Amino acid sequence: MYSREHLRALGINNIYFKNFGGITEIIHIISLNNFTTTVSSGGNLGEKGVLVIETEEMKIEIFVSVIKDFSEINTFTLFHEDPFPEYFQNKVNSLNSILSSSEKRKEFRYEVGLKNWQKFGLKKPECAFIDGNYITKTIINNVSIHGALLTGARSHTLIGEKVIFTCNFDEIIKLQSILINSSACGNGYFRYSLRFLEPLSLTWCNHVLNYGDYLDNTLDYE
């Protein structure tokens, strides 16, 4: 399912389906390309209609044919009978490039530590994960698209609990996460493994991808 961040990247302010009887249905994007849009909806969309996308630039109206996905509840694929405007196609291609690259490199882990935090794009090396009102301050050991390995002080958070991971790039980002491992690593410090929950932050994915490209092209890496 697309998050608000995905919609902001596309400049979408509103999106809905309108059948030929004039009835509108609220829809939520699951995936999108320049030929099809997969959505979820609480109502039945019918076999044909109009996909309406209100963007920062204009209102886009695309005639579509609809196929219901019977393997998923309330899921429909809309087949575009008209092309998107070129400017919107470019935004869709850019977003899908990030998502595709993130999926291909989701298992790659990249060392950060106190040496490369600035190259990773952080404004400061300290990060944290938050469990209710309790904050565990950490630094990042390594990163991947779907998680991070951290070192910090003892935390009261139990393995399997949900936390919010936060770090500071040009903006402060907050990632819904699960603590999947915790272990002592000496001198009173502990190591924590977090797995990020979907939908992933585009800002985080971009920094991981750009940092991975940097490491692939330099020897200044531990």
Side-chain angles (χ1 to χ4, degrees), residues 30-98:
I30 297 173
S31 63
L32 172 69
N33 60 52
N34 289 315
F35 307 100
T36 62
T37 302
T38 301
V39 303
S40 66
S41 173
N44 191 358
L45 301 188
E47 295 183 355
K48 285 186 175 293
V50 180
L51 172 64
V52 183
I53 301 174
E54 296 176 355
T55 75
E56 297 164 348
E57 289 86 357
M58 64 186 296
K59 177 189 282 189
I60 302 169
E61 295 185 326
I62 302 292
F63 289 103
V64 295
S65 299
V66 181
I67 299 295
K68 182 177 177 63
D69 184 351
F70 290 98
S71 65
E72 297 287 343
I73 298 176
N74 298 329
T75 299
F76 305 84
T77 298
L78 314 181
F79 293 85
H80 307 167
E81 297 182 9
D82 304 296
F84 285 137
E86 184 176 357
Y87 87 92
F88 193 71
Q89 289 187 34
N90 293 336
K91 286 188 174 184
V92 170
N93 291 338
S94 177
L95 174 61
N96 285 340
S97 177
I98 295 171

